[in-house]
Amino acid sequence: MIEQTTAEDSLQRQRAGSIYLCLYGHFYQPPRENPFTGILPIEPEAIPYANFNEKITAECYRPNAEIGNFSSISYDLGPTLAAWLEVAHPEVYRLIIDADRLHRARYGVGNALAQAYNHTILPLANTRDKETQILWGLLDFRHRYGHNAHGMWLAETAVDLECLDLLAQHGVTYTVLAPWQAATSIDPTEPYIVSLPSGRSIIVFFYNAPLSGGVSFDWNTTSNADLFAASYLAGHLVKSKQDTGEAQLLLIATDGELYGHHKPWRDKFLSHLITTGAPDYGFEVCTLERFLLLHPPTKEVELRVPSAWSCGHGVARWDTGCECTEGDSSWKGHLRQALNHLAERGNALFEQYAGESLSNPWAARNAYLALRNGWETPESFWTQYGKEHRLPEDAQLVQRTLLLLEAQYYLQYSFTSCGFFFEDLDRIEPRNDIAFARRAISLLWQALGIDLQQDFLRDLQSVQSGRTHVTGAALYRQLPIVKEGLLPPL
Ligand SMILES: [Zn+2]
């Protein structure tokens, strides 16, 4: 195999600099901590580790960080995962964050991207929630990496034009999409400009679907990095561009956990590919932002919207359900309706009561992440967002407003996309979304003594698993017991 490709190899080596390879890792896990205690449950399937966060850290985050892979790839580290890693494994966290700093020092641009905060399917969120998700993602990024993000990864690469416009409004210049999200013909070896109705624009990269799929799902594809570079990568280059020396980029985008967790030893495959395998075959390993610096896009594309990378039915997979998941997925629509009802009630109460102390409760919500995480002082927060432009003297009013803001925080969590991704309701991910909703109910109850639990349970009664026939209401009742007084009586 190696001998047969020698002539081709030398040709490719001569053209080094015009063919680029970018590996993209989306590092994220569904948040699973008990929202009342912040503690991750023991997960017996993760044995010998206490839970999957620990297992995946040992198999993927740590080895990839220690071997230096993060400094050569483009990546995003989900904010909710980053918050856990920062406390549980600060040395691993530091290596991942520092990779972006090293890349900036070397190339002038970073290689980390932000992520919309709660892994929410943005096309299914209202405008206000879209903006909060994007702003929290950017705020979180700025805090962790010490500079503004230029790229943002969207959960499931789910887009519509409104969320792209909000990204552009807030300084995000690029994102990554699946090739089938383009409505006009594309060559995925170059980025494109999307012109938005507002007159703004944003750049999109389309990943190489066969290569990304091969790396994700085909064991043989990634058993040997040299072979992968020699026989798989080369076959995806555009011949006419090779002939003229025009720059082209092969982008392989996958979940980051693939490298070591979903596939053992793939951290070493990745390392070998980016340090030796790809360069030996003429590829310059590059990150997205660096590629933009070298070769800014010149062509425009129109998009299919709404669309996502893991559903062929717009974003129905996370909405009403579709045949992307096996069996009866009608529970998805009912669960979303229950969560929407709860959020509508919670939002109205927030606007009414938080509006007594905050001049614009929604603007305050967008800044709340920094206050709750201690990145901003209460004095500074209240000076900017308080009606009186200072911390109110009425301690009870302050306390109530903080509870209402925290309820908003958990309402955002309750739309985590993972709850809608899989085939059935009777799984940990939908249960977690219900648990986050319960936390919001508790906070609203503590703030105002208003019971939103009853109506939520009624709505959850019509959410039913097609497999075990358990209802959403039953799942709610099975959630861990909390201290008396924290929830309305059942
Ligand atoms: Zn679908």
Side-chain angles (χ1 to χ4, degrees), residues 285-344:
V285 174
C286 191
T287 60
L288 296 180
E289 212 157 319
R290 194 176 146 235
F291 187 84
L292 285 180
L293 212 58
L294 298 169
H295 305 287
T298 56
K299 296 174 194 152
E300 293 217 9
V301 69
E302 283 174 30
L303 299 179
R304 238 176 259 282
V305 282
S307 59
W309 75 344
S310 47
C311 177
H313 314 90
V315 288
R317 181 172 190 149
W318 304 271
D319 187 10
T320 50
C322 63
E323 57 259 42
C324 287
T325 53
E326 265 179 46
D328 179 8
S329 57
S330 60
W331 62 271
K332 293 184 181 182
H334 294 292
L335 178 60
R336 187 161 285 278
Q337 203 169 30
L339 292 169
N340 278 337
H341 278 170
L342 176 66
E344 281 161 22

Side-chain angles (χ1 to χ4, degrees), residues 355-377:
E356 289 178 10
S357 56
L358 298 168
S359 48
N360 178 345
W362 300 112
R365 180 178 79 167
N366 288 340
Y368 174 62
L369 187 75
L371 174 69
R372 86 178 291 281
N373 290 348
W375 306 337
E376 183 176 8
T377 63

Side-chain angles (χ1 to χ4, degrees), residues 77-88 93 117 140 144 373 413:
L77 178 66
T80 50
L81 172 62
W84 174 83
L85 197 62
E86 185 178 15
V87 175
Y93 170 80
Y117 193 80
D140 191 87
R144 298 187 188 287
N373 290 348
Y413 260 81

Side-chain angles (χ1 to χ4, degrees), residues 239-254:
K239 179 77 172 54
S240 59
K241 283 183 169 173
Q242 269 184 292
D243 292 343
T244 58
E246 194 183 335
Q248 53 179 320
L249 170 74
L250 296 183
L251 169 58
I252 299 177
T254 65

